[in-house]
Amino acid sequence: MSRPAEKRELLESLRRDLSCFESQRAQAPSLSLGASEVDRRLSGGAGLSLAGLHEVVGAAYPDMAAATGFAMALGSRLVAREARSLVWVTQRSGAHDLGPLYGPGLAMMGLDPARMLIVSAKDDREALWVTEEALRTPDLCGVVSELEGARAYDLKASRRLQLAAERFERPALLLAGHAGSAASAPSAALTRFRIASAASSSNSSAVSAPGRARFAVTLDRVRGGSSSQFILEWNHAAHCFSVASPFSRREDGAAGRDAAKRDCPPARPQEPASVSRLAAFA
């Protein structure tokens, strides 16, 4: 067989393997964010793969509180979906100067503290080890893990977590710093969300008070999907996101409310909240 023929055969074989791999990934269970526009952009077109590693990074250092709030919202959807507990790996030093997790703040994000197991790691290496072990542990719905920097988290570490998540079909949400730190490192993660703060929605009960928390979300990495940008609004009572128009701030929340009605079930009345309050840190 000539070399061009060998190369064509090899390429065809690789395409078949890749097609089979993507097909298996598409069949893996997934977590809808509640916003169909976003779910279609993610791997498999049905939401966040439960058999994968997903990174959440701040657009800049001041956005780390918003990135943490976004991870809490994803964790809330996980806990609401399954009758199992969520592991949150934090660090003794208080990652990114945000302080310890705050129970009432978690509850305001719709994340029941009683359904969380909080593990305090001494550094990034220990946090990564705990994350991998938690992925292997039955009776958990997933892991959220905070990292201080990029030194211990590299391509090899991300591959280990991705393989563990795939094998046990349990997601890992990694708070991997901010743009310019771990966010620029090569990674095997399926998804990378870059989060920036956004003005909250209007509040019908008090004009001067903030409404539902919003996040400016950029899908930087989507394996098998496509990159895009959204303003997402979090409904902590219904445990779901909706896509909000960037023009539907406090002056006119009609577009955001229409999106919420389309994607979320009816919810009980909303209490005033802002991203900074909902970040759940003391």
Side-chain angles (χ1 to χ4, degrees):
M1 185 180 296
S2 64
R3 284 188 68 81
E6 290 178 351
K7 289 182 178 178
R8 282 196 296 274
E9 185 176 331
L10 177 60
L11 282 172
E12 286 301 319
S13 175
L14 289 173
R15 289 193 182 103
R16 286 194 297 272
D17 290 344
L18 184 60
S19 175
C20 180
F21 176 74
E22 294 298 339
S23 175
Q24 291 174 348
R25 189 187 303 282
Q27 294 170 4
S30 59
L31 175 74
S32 167
L33 271 64
S36 53
E37 295 96 322
V38 183
D39 291 341
R40 285 196 295 271
R41 300 277 184 171
L42 298 172
S43 303
L48 204 66
S49 173
L50 294 182
L53 170 65
H54 308 283
E55 296 173 350
V56 179
V57 303
Y61 188 84
D63 295 306
M64 284 308 302
T68 304
F70 184 78
M72 287 178 183
L74 292 178
S76 175
R77 282 195 67 78
L78 268 175
V79 170
R81 181 182 186 275
E82 304 181 33
R84 295 186 291 176
S85 297
L86 175 76
V87 170
W88 191 293
V89 185
T90 185
Q91 300 209 18
R92 294 170 193 167
S93 58
H96 307 290
D97 301 326
L98 295 176
L101 293 169
Y102 183 54
L106 292 168
M108 287 186 70
M109 281 300 282
L111 188 52
D112 183 358
R115 300 281 301 280
M116 291 180 63
L117 299 173
I118 299 175
V119 180
S120 179
K122 67 178 181 181
D123 54 27
D124 281 352
R125 291 190 182 281
E126 189 168 274
L128 290 169
W129 178 81
V130 171
T131 303
E132 186 173 343
E133 290 302 309
L135 289 172
R136 300 170 184 273
T137 304
D139 300 325
L140 297 175
C141 64
V143 188
V144 179
S145 187
E146 301 173 1
L147 295 184
E148 284 275 14
R151 291 182 180 177
Y153 182 62
D154 54 16
L155 182 59
K156 182 179 178 181
S158 66
R159 280 177 174 163
R160 288 183 64 92
L161 294 181
Q162 174 57 37
L163 288 173
E166 278 186 17
R167 180 178 178 186
F168 298 99
E169 295 193 344
R170 197 165 293 128
L173 308 174
L174 210 62
L175 276 162
H178 55 89
S181 59
S184 58
S187 169
L190 298 184
T191 314
R192 178 180 292 159
F193 296 95
R194 178 158 46 92
I195 308 298
S197 304
S200 69
S201 67
S202 59
N203 190 316
S204 57
S205 59
V207 175
S208 59
R212 289 174 179 161
R214 287 182 174 178
F215 306 90
V217 179
T218 301
L219 285 170
D220 273 343
R221 170 196 291 273
V222 189
R223 192 183 299 179
S226 55
S227 299
S228 51
Q229 294 180 310
F230 300 94
I231 300 293
L232 291 185
E233 183 173 301
W234 174 243
N235 183 331
H236 74 270
H239 302 282
C240 73
F241 287 102
S242 60
V243 176
S245 164
F247 304 107
S248 63
R249 296 171 63 178
R250 297 186 187 178
E251 296 81 2
D252 180 10
R257 289 194 293 274
D258 288 345
K261 288 178 182 176
R262 185 173 63 251
D263 293 314
C264 300
R268 59 178 181 266
Q270 182 74 24
E271 295 180 358
S274 67
V275 170
S276 59
R277 287 182 63 195
L278 295 178
F281 291 96

